């Protein structure tokens, strides 16, 4: 089977696996224990925090390891909401499922929530965002890269606007960490979520960056993997090792991903049969290709590919599970019938040119048998 679903999750890298096993063997002490075996574990945890902070231009006291991107999202928003007085939140329509749930939670607590859709380039519509602002707007929630179509949101512009109006900004960077250079991002946002399993680290671990953490309040939230709980140090160290490796090759990997993307496009036969959901090259992560085949449900394309030994997806793994239409398609105002055609191909570390050419052939075959153009 050839894997084309790296945006859903990634296999652990050798570096991360080695770091995991090594830490589990040598640093088994509880980071909260006061004896020397605990202290060396705690030192290692602190070193990982400092390293993660350096990757995004933050400081170690601003980094909190969590159980993944979803938990980071929930915790980040909880923190920002508790520090603000307003009653109105703006959220982008194409957010990950964990943030859609947060939306419901906020509404049940009496907050009013407005949604902002995509513009014609598949990124957050800044004109609409600005028009939604009210006197009591306290928080804006946007993702950095959309996990279904790979478009990159204008975080600089959004953060400038938010700080001019005294509005908090939470950014879900699960799809951008270690894929774009985030070394300047900490100064632009109030909170930021990251997950390990998208970048060849273990599953069930991530971190939250908070510009101004209310540390005591976070420590009380016992469901989170934070100070007070027993830290999963092997996962933290493996995650840090995976991040370190990926960040050191961001540029060359993105160039390689762009070549793979162009290669796939050049091998797709009947151009009219394919719709590619993408933005300009500078606003697009090359490794995520959101597409549709005219008149063919994405589900069928996925099953056909699976039958022929290729793992692709019909959208974000959570939405697929609940058979929801991809949120990026609704945000981009794509007609429901067209949105059903959506499927996603995502490349990663182990994708080769040969794999991409083979996948393009399978897609061309599906066009031949199922598309009437
Ligand atoms: C944009 C985005 N945010 C958050 C998450 C959730 O991360 P995790 O699986 O670590 O909870 C995902 C994973 O699919 C994602 O793509």
């Amino acid at each position: 089977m050839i894997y084309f679903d790296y945006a859903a999750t990634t296999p652990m890298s050798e570096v991360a696996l080695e770091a995991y096993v090594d830490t589990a063997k040598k640093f088994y002490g509880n980071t909260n224990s006061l004896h020397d075996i605990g202290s060396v574990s705690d030192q290692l945890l602190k070193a990982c925090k400092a390293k993660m902070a350096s990757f995004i231009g933050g400081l170690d006291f601003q980094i909190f390891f969590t159980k993944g991107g979803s938990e980071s999202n929930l915790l980040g928003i909880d923190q920002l909401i508790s520090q603000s007085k307003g009653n109105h939140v703006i959220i982008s329509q194409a957010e990950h499922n964990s943030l859609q749930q947060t939306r419901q939670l906020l509404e049940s607590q009496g907050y009013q929530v407005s949604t902002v859709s995509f513009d014609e380039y598949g990124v957050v519509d800044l004109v609409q965002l600005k028009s939604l602002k009210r006197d009591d707007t306290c928080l804006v929630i946007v993702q950095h890269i959309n996990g279904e179509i790979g478009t990159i949101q204008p975080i600089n512009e959004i953060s400038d606007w938010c700080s001019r109006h005294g509005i908090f900004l939470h950014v879900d960077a699960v799809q951008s960490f270690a894929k774009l250079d985030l070394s300047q991002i900490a100064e632009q946002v109030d909170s930021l979520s990251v997950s390990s399993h998208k970048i060849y680290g273990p599953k069930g671990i991530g971190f939250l960056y908070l510009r101004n953490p209310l540390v005591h309040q976070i420590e009380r939230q016992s469901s989170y993997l934070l100070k007070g709980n027993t830290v999963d140090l092997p996962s933290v160290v493996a995650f840090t090792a995976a991040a370190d490796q990926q960040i050191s090759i961001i540029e060359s990997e993105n160039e390689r991903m762009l070549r793979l993307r162009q290669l796939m496009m050049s091998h797709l036969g009947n151009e009219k049969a394919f719709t590619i959901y993408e933005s300009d090259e500078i606003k697009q992560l090359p490794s995520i290709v959101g597409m549709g085949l005219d008149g063919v449900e994405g589900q069928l394309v996925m099953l056909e590919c699976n039958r022929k030994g290729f793992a692709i997806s019909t959208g974000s793994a959570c939405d697929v599970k609940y058979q929801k239409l991809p949120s990026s398609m609704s945000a981009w105002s794509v007609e429901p019938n067209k949105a059903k055609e959506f499927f996603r191909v995502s490349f990663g570390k182990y994708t080769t040119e040969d794999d991409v050419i083979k996948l393009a052939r399978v897609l061309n075959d599906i066009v031949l048998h199922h598309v009437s153009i």
Side-chain angles (χ1 to χ4, degrees):
M1 193 96 193
I2 302 177
Y3 192 64
F4 279 100
D5 203 9
Y6 287 86
T9 194
T10 59
M12 274 176 78
S13 63
E14 285 305 314
V15 176
L17 283 166
E18 273 169 34
Y20 188 96
V21 173
D22 199 51
T23 309
K25 276 186 188 162
K26 296 187 191 144
F27 296 88
Y28 54 85
N30 189 323
T31 55
N32 297 315
S33 298
L34 299 179
H35 47 65
D36 286 359
I37 295 177
S39 304
V40 288
S41 292
D42 193 42
Q43 278 162 21
L44 188 53
L45 175 65
K46 287 190 172 124
C48 290
K49 273 193 183 187
K51 191 108 194 163
M52 289 302 196
S54 73
F55 292 147
I56 59 166
L59 296 166
D60 43 5
F61 78 93
Q62 297 169 316
I63 303 293
F64 299 89
F65 287 108
T66 64
K67 289 182 177 139
S70 305
E71 189 173 276
S72 299
N73 279 335
L74 284 173
L75 182 57
I77 285 157
D78 190 70
Q79 279 278 302
L80 296 181
I81 281 292
S82 68
Q83 293 179 42
S84 66
K85 290 198 176 71
N87 196 42
H88 178 236
V89 174
I90 305 174
I91 181 168
S92 122
Q93 201 180 338
E95 291 305 308
H96 180 257
N97 214 20
S98 55
L99 284 166
Q100 306 290 355
Q101 283 170 20
T102 309
R103 177 200 171 132
Q104 285 158 15
L105 201 73
L106 287 172
E107 281 171 339
S108 72
Q109 290 169 0
Y111 287 90
Q112 287 176 334
V113 183
S114 306
T115 44
V116 55
S117 45
F118 280 167
D119 63 13
E120 70 265 41
Y121 305 104
V123 296
V124 166
D125 186 334
L126 292 178
V127 176
Q128 191 193 17
L129 172 71
K130 290 173 188 173
S131 73
L132 289 170
K133 181 190 157 303
R134 303 187 337 196
D135 289 347
D136 60 345
T137 305
C138 56
L139 173 65
V140 168
I141 302 169
V142 284
Q143 61 202 180
H144 194 182
I145 290 182
N146 182 271
E148 291 166 353
I149 54 174
T151 54
I152 303 171
Q153 312 312 314
I155 297 300
N156 277 341
E157 280 106 311
I158 296 174
S159 85
D160 279 356
W161 179 77
C162 283
S163 62
R164 255 186 288 122
H165 293 92
I167 299 170
F168 283 134
L169 174 62
H170 172 79
V171 172
D172 177 342
V174 166
Q175 294 284 354
S176 63
F177 181 67
K179 291 176 195 144
L180 292 184
D181 177 10
L182 301 190
S183 61
Q184 312 288 318
I185 199 93
E187 59 200 29
Q188 297 175 18
V189 303
D190 296 289
S191 66
L192 175 113
S193 311
V194 169
S195 178
S196 151
H197 71 95
K198 308 282 185 185
I199 60 151
Y200 312 96
K203 295 173 179 36
I205 184 95
F207 75 75
L208 169 70
Y209 158 84
L210 282 171
R211 196 198 322 231
N212 292 312
L214 297 174
V215 178
H216 296 299
Q217 184 177 321
I218 292 181
E219 284 171 12
R220 279 205 304 274
Q221 288 166 315
S222 60
S223 67
Y224 301 115
L225 177 68
L226 296 163
K227 225 169 152 186
N229 291 14
T230 305
V231 174
D232 178 359
L233 193 58
S235 290
V236 167
V237 177
F239 173 26
T240 311
D244 202 12
Q245 185 180 46
Q246 286 313 110
I247 284 168
S248 71
I249 54 166
I250 282 183
E251 244 176 78
S252 58
E253 265 305 82
N254 273 335
E255 280 165 17
R256 198 174 74 83
M257 294 299 137
L258 185 59
R259 283 200 301 276
L260 291 178
R261 186 183 186 96
Q262 288 165 343
L263 187 70
M264 189 168 105
M265 298 304 165
S266 68
H267 278 75
L268 294 180
N270 187 342
E271 263 177 37
K272 274 198 228 142
F274 292 94
T275 305
I276 311 294
Y277 296 99
E278 62 184 349
S279 199
D280 304 343
E281 206 169 287
I282 49 159
K283 288 189 198 147
Q284 178 70 45
L285 188 76
S287 56
I288 298 181
V289 192
M291 50 204 307
L293 265 182
D294 200 61
V296 186
E297 283 203 10
Q299 180 100 343
L300 192 144
V301 178
M302 189 274 288
L303 290 173
E304 276 298 284
C305 287
N306 188 55
R307 207 167 58 82
K308 296 189 171 163
F310 296 83
I312 66 160
S313 159
T314 48
S316 154
C318 308
D319 287 348
V320 170
K321 190 173 166 207
Y322 298 107
Q323 300 191 329
K324 278 168 60 185
L325 285 179
S327 56
S328 60
M329 294 294 96
S330 326
W332 210 343
S333 306
V334 174
E335 297 263 316
N337 272 345
K338 279 300 255 184
K340 273 194 197 152
E341 295 168 1
F342 183 85
F343 62 95
R344 175 187 69 191
V345 169
S346 47
F347 313 134
K349 210 180 184 56
Y350 306 109
T351 312
T352 66
E353 293 191 356
D354 194 41
D355 296 339
V356 167
I357 293 170
K358 283 183 185 151
L359 176 66
R361 268 192 216 127
V362 170
L363 294 175
N364 288 335
D365 233 37
I366 298 174
V367 173
L368 217 60
H369 290 101
H370 298 275
V371 179
S372 50
I373 290 180

